[in-house]
Amino acid sequence: MTRERITEAAIALLDEEGIERLTMRHLAERMGIGATTLYWHIDTKDDVVDLATDAIFAEAPLPDGSEQTWQESVVALLSGCRSMLLRHPWSAALPLRQRPSIGPNFLTWLEFLQATLSRAGCGAQQTQAVCWLLYNHVLGSAASQSNFQWSKAERVAAQEQLRTEGDKYPTLVAYEYPLDEDWEANFRLGVKLVLAGLASQLPADD
């Protein structure tokens, strides 16, 4: 019995059943051990979630960056994180918890993001603000894609409903809001727009 084995079992449980089904007793049952044995290694369910969260961040690769602009490095980093969150849909809901992520894998990921922004010329306050904006964009995109699942027929029906009230919602009708399901393209464009705005605020190179 090791923390690594417990973490692997917790991730499997979370992936298959969701965070609402995670309890120390249920995790112990899946592992074929008693809850008391589990408590010898992990104090609380929140500790299990913290371990699982940090473990999946090991799946979000850090870009090489050797032949990339700082903007390309940030886009690659965030896209990898988004893909990881989509593989583990429960993880996108974790910001609702009251415990910050402070495990080594997450901190390494965040260090890369902040260091990249710092090298681009961001000051401390800019870096913090942009990190929160980008991180929330990643989480929101992954959570929306994981939970907002309309069928094609439902999307078409929603578009037709909007058309009947086109005088109230002309822009939504014209841009076919219900039919847009290209999550990846919207995510990447959103990141690029944020970074373009940030770049315009940075000191010009000599």
Side-chain angles (χ1 to χ4, degrees):
M1 179 61 59
T2 64
R3 282 199 165 204
E4 290 73 19
R5 184 185 166 209
I6 294 169
T7 301
E8 291 175 1
I11 292 172
L13 189 161
L14 290 163
D15 287 348
E16 295 168 18
E17 303 185 46
I19 197 166
E20 64 281 353
R21 288 280 293 146
L22 175 64
T23 66
M24 296 292 275
R25 182 177 297 277
H26 187 38
L27 177 59
E29 289 173 352
R30 283 179 58 109
M31 298 184 69
I33 61 176
T36 301
T37 302
L38 187 59
Y39 279 112
W40 274 107
H41 298 272
I42 308 290
D43 291 333
T44 68
K45 183 180 79 170
D46 283 339
D47 293 325
V48 173
V49 174
D50 288 342
L51 289 169
T53 301
D54 191 63
I56 63 174
F57 263 91
E59 300 176 19
L62 302 182
D64 176 12
S66 59
E67 299 181 2
Q68 294 178 314
T69 65
W70 68 268
Q71 294 99 323
E72 291 171 337
S73 291
V74 171
V75 172
L77 178 73
L78 298 180
S79 295
C81 181
R82 180 176 178 276
S83 296
M84 175 272 290
L85 293 172
L86 289 173
R87 289 194 296 273
H88 307 284
W90 53 272
S91 59
L94 292 181
L96 299 178
R97 300 172 66 241
Q98 297 181 357
R99 292 157 63 101
S101 296
I102 56 172
N105 291 318
F106 173 78
L107 292 178
T108 298
W109 183 91
L110 186 60
E111 171 65 23
F112 184 95
L113 177 57
Q114 292 212 358
T116 301
L117 294 173
S118 178
R119 286 194 298 271
C122 289
Q125 186 173 8
Q126 277 184 317
T127 297
Q128 296 286 27
V130 173
C131 276
W132 277 114
L133 179 61
L134 294 174
Y135 186 53
N136 286 331
H137 181 52
V138 174
L139 292 170
S141 175
S144 295
Q145 184 172 350
S146 296
N147 295 292
F148 191 67
Q149 299 291 336
W150 276 1
S151 68
K152 184 66 174 180
E154 288 171 326
R155 289 180 177 275
V156 171
Q159 176 67 15
E160 290 306 311
Q161 178 63 34
L162 277 179
R163 288 185 189 279
T164 65
E165 301 182 82
D167 56 330
K168 295 181 182 178
Y169 314 113
T171 308
L172 296 180
V173 173
Y175 292 171
E176 297 185 329
Y177 160 68
L179 300 181
D180 182 9
E181 54 182 333
D182 195 341
W183 298 99
E184 180 67 20
N186 286 331
F187 168 76
R188 285 179 171 267
L189 179 57
V191 174
K192 289 178 180 179
L193 291 173
V194 170
L195 297 182
L198 173 61
S200 71
Q201 302 297 313
L202 298 178
D205 295 331
D206 293 333

